[in-house]
């Protein structure tokens, strides 16, 4: 309870290290300590804010009202430019969502919906290393709460100036955001990525297109459209794209046997020019 916030944050760090092997996995927490620290959250430095918020996942609120009170105290942190604090707040919110409310799954979806705007903003404004770390968080949240980020799909389009690892991760996230409303736009964007000069990027784009068809999330006619695009890629004078397209068409055909009349006719012609073993198989 020292009036100097820097002293308090140092005490938290030291106590956590000293008591790391204890039954609580860090400093002991109770309602009074937790609420006192959160009410002073605006006094701490960026480093101190993260130290305080990291305590929340270890604290179990006594009831739903206390859990919502903690969320309300942390909510302003989502509007800051401190990416570490925002990520720590997201982790705290998800931890609380598992402990309060009658429906933890629905509560978690509400939490992810609340933090979505902050994450997307930080991804677009940070350096490449920070953006990659935040994109991995987005990827995890998309897997656990499908549909929440679908309306922000344009924020995950590949930009020319971005480093390779960012581009690859965005191309892997895009098919997870596909739904009947945005699938045509996403498929068109992935089609542009197929012509990129990076071979690995080409392969990932083709695989992502086939994933949309295999998961059948694009609505009526989407799988048919993707199959036709992949068939066209068989005639490209790029060996790795042709091979990846052939492999993807095999997966699409297993999921949609009715597309055999579209996929089968060009295969004998494509086989004569196929060089990669996987594509031939």
């Amino acid at each position: 309870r020292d009036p100097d916030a820097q002293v308090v944050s140092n005490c938290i760090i030291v106590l956590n290290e000293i008591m790391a092997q204890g039954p609580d996995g860090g400093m002991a927490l109770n309602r009074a300590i937790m609420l006192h620290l959160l009410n002073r959250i605006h006094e701490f430095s960026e480093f101190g804010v993260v130290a305080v918020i990291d305590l929340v996942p270890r604290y179990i609120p006594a009831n739903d009202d206390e859990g919502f009170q903690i969320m309300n105290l942390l909510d302003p942190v989502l509007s800051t430019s401190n990416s570490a604090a925002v990520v720590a707040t997201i982790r705290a919110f998800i931890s609380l969502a598992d402990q309060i409310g009658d429906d933890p799954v629905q509560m978690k979806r509400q939490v992810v919906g609340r933090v979505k705007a902050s994450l997307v903003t930080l991804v677009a404004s940070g350096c490449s290393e920070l953006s990659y770390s935040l994109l991995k968080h987005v990827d995890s949240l998309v897997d656990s709460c499908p549909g929440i980020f679908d309306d922000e799909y344009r924020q995950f389009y590949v930009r020319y100036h971005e480093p390779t690892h960012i581009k690859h991760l965005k191309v892997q996230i895009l098919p997870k955001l596909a739904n009947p409303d945005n699938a045509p736009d996403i498929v068109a964007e992935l089609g542009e990525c197929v012509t990129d000069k990076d071979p690995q990027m080409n392969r990932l784009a083709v695989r992502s297109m086939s994933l949309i068809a295999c998961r059948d999330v694009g609505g009526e006619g989407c799988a048919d459209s993707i199959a036709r695009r992949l068939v066209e890629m068989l005639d490209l004078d790029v060996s790795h794209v042709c091979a990846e397209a052939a492999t993807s068409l095999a997966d699409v055909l297993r999921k949609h046997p009715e597309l055999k009349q579209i996929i089968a006719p060009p295969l004998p012609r494509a086989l004569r020019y196929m060089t990669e073993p996987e594509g031939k198989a």
Side-chain angles (χ1 to χ4, degrees), residues 259-277:
L259 298 178
K260 181 179 179 181
Q261 296 304 318
I262 298 173
I263 296 174
L267 293 181
R269 182 182 72 252
L271 183 60
R272 290 198 294 268
Y273 303 102
M274 197 74 64
T275 57
E276 294 193 10

Side-chain angles (χ1 to χ4, degrees), residues 3-280:
D4 189 334
Q6 185 64 49
V7 173
V8 175
S9 61
N10 288 340
C11 288
I12 292 171
I13 294 166
V14 171
L15 286 171
N16 277 331
E17 290 187 8
I18 292 173
M19 306 175 71
Q21 303 302 319
D24 297 324
M27 66 175 282
L29 297 171
N30 56 41
R31 174 187 169 88
I33 292 175
M34 197 75 259
L35 293 181
H36 171 73
L37 292 174
L38 293 178
N39 277 307
R40 293 185 62 188
I41 195 81
H42 61 281
E43 299 177 19
F44 292 95
S45 65
E46 291 188 354
F47 187 72
V49 167
V50 176
V52 171
I53 298 175
D54 279 342
L55 299 174
V56 176
R58 292 200 293 109
Y59 178 70
I60 300 175
N63 50 52
D64 289 358
D65 289 341
E66 185 179 343
F68 287 122
Q69 183 181 6
I70 292 173
M71 285 184 170
N72 289 334
L73 290 171
L74 287 177
D75 192 71
V77 179
L78 294 174
S79 303
T80 67
S81 59
N82 182 356
S83 57
V86 171
V87 170
T89 302
I90 293 170
R91 187 165 60 247
F93 275 18
I94 291 175
S95 172
L96 290 169
D98 291 334
Q99 302 173 37
I100 62 177
D102 298 327
D103 187 351
V105 175
Q106 186 59 31
M107 177 61 67
K108 187 175 181 180
R109 291 184 65 84
Q110 291 178 13
V111 164
V112 174
R114 173 64 187 87
V115 305
K116 175 179 67 174
S118 300
L119 262 181
V120 170
T121 300
L122 287 173
V123 166
S125 60
C127 62
S128 61
E129 293 80 3
L130 175 59
S131 294
Y132 183 82
S133 176
L134 293 170
L135 281 170
K136 292 297 287 185
H137 281 82
V138 170
D139 193 23
S140 177
L141 292 175
V142 168
D143 287 336
S144 60
C145 297
I148 300 295
F149 284 85
D150 288 4
D151 59 337
E152 298 285 355
Y153 69 97
R154 287 190 177 88
Q155 300 296 327
F156 301 95
Y157 279 3
V158 171
R159 292 174 173 81
Y160 178 78
H161 66 277
E162 290 175 328
T164 303
H165 58 287
I166 298 287
K167 292 180 178 180
H168 289 182
L169 186 51
K170 282 188 171 182
V171 168
Q172 290 173 295
I173 291 174
L174 275 173
K176 301 178 182 180
L177 308 179
N179 61 40
D181 295 327
N182 62 26
D185 291 343
I186 291 178
V187 171
E189 172 68 14
L190 292 172
E192 294 295 325
C193 295
V194 172
T195 60
D196 193 88
K197 60 184 178 181
D198 175 16
Q200 182 62 20
M201 179 74 156
N202 305 154
R203 292 181 185 274
L204 287 173
V206 175
R207 287 176 203 163
S208 294
M209 291 173 67
S210 69
L211 275 176
I212 295 174
C214 291
R215 291 173 178 170
D216 211 14
V217 294
E220 185 177 356
C222 184
D224 181 289
S225 173
I226 290 173
R228 293 180 186 278
R229 278 179 174 267
L230 294 175
V231 166
E232 291 174 2
M233 292 176 194
L234 293 175
D235 295 326
L236 292 177
D237 189 23
V238 186
S239 60
H240 61 272
V241 172
C242 296
E244 199 64 49
T247 305
S248 297
L249 282 169
D251 294 335
V252 173
L253 187 58
R254 292 188 188 99
K255 178 66 177 178
H256 298 280
E258 71 276 7
L259 298 178
K260 181 179 179 181
Q261 296 304 318
I262 298 173
I263 296 174
L267 293 181
R269 182 182 72 252
L271 183 60
R272 290 198 294 268
Y273 303 102
M274 197 74 64
T275 57
E276 294 193 10
E278 288 186 6
K280 289 183 176 181

